[in-house]
Amino acid sequence: MGKTIALANQKGGVGKTTTTINLAASLATLEKKVLVVDADPQANASSGLGVDIKQADCTIYECLIDGADVRKAIHDTEIDALKIISSHINLVGAEIEMLNLRNRERILKEVLAPLKDEYDYILIDCSPSLGLITVNALTAADSVIIPVQAEYFALEGISKLLNTIKIIKSKLNPELEIEGFLLTMYDSRLRQANQIYDEVKRHFQELVFHTVIQRNVKLSEAPSYGLPTILYDADSTGAKNHLALARELINHNQQKSL
């Protein structure tokens, strides 16, 4: 039985998609079968893994709204063990279309149910909002990774997300756990970055990943080539950070299952 992890933070620009793409590629490199679900209308995870979204006939939108076969929305990537369900700009209107559907918060969970046994990890890249699609992602997930940018307003808005997680836990998904807070765009030369890390650690203690994702040019260059950083430049800091994160995630889950 695979583990489904949502990557969520309603604050934009904190590195959710970058983390999703590169964590998924690193897990696949470590011989795990991984599926990325692009649940963001911007579809950056899709293009960042080399999917031409203009050519995609079936996307997560068709699966949620029209009940399309989810397997038709799965695309291959440059890494054999890594697949992706692509997104589409139509997803912007999906929240309104879903309002009248029965069990509207659980549609994504039902869509992904047949795939759960086929992958070790399913990673859902959420949009920067706390709308119905994100609620669907959190209802479908076993746990959530919260990327936090190492900057002054890092903790702003996290209480809102934690409140949403609490509500979903009590009403829709009692199994939902916080997998961890991940510090992104970290620059150890800046005193402020170290202060933010200490503050996040003080607030959330053992829920903070030991691995931090450092600021790295290769991380921002790679998506324009439709590649995860590990294929674009395996020796880059960004590739190494995400590989360390993947190992930490695997170890943590192995220890929990003992």
Side-chain angles (χ1 to χ4, degrees), residues 12 18 42 51 61 95 165 187 193 199 204 207 219 251 254:
T18 302
Q42 295 174 75
V51 176
Y61 171 81
E95 305 211 337
I165 290 169
D187 187 341
E199 197 178 338
F204 304 112
L207 283 176
L219 273 181
N251 291 339
Q254 280 171 345

Side-chain angles (χ1 to χ4, degrees), residues 187-205:
D187 187 341
S188 57
R189 296 166 304 178
L190 300 177
R191 198 169 78 211
Q192 190 190 43
N194 294 306
Q195 285 171 342
I196 300 292
Y197 182 76
D198 292 341
E199 197 178 338
V200 172
K201 196 84 180 142
R202 195 175 70 246
H203 272 279
F204 304 112
Q205 294 159 8

Side-chain angles (χ1 to χ4, degrees), residues 167-211:
I167 293 165
I168 286 169
K169 210 170 151 66
S170 68
K171 293 195 163 48
L172 295 163
N173 182 5
E175 310 298 310
L176 184 64
E177 292 180 338
I178 292 175
E179 190 71 46
F181 291 84
L182 174 70
L183 225 68
T184 61
M185 305 179 196
Y186 182 79
D187 187 341
S188 57
R189 296 166 304 178
L190 300 177
R191 198 169 78 211
Q192 190 190 43
N194 294 306
Q195 285 171 342
I196 300 292
Y197 182 76
D198 292 341
E199 197 178 338
V200 172
K201 196 84 180 142
R202 195 175 70 246
H203 272 279
F204 304 112
Q205 294 159 8
E206 72 282 355
L207 283 176
V208 182
F209 283 103
H210 295 301
T211 307

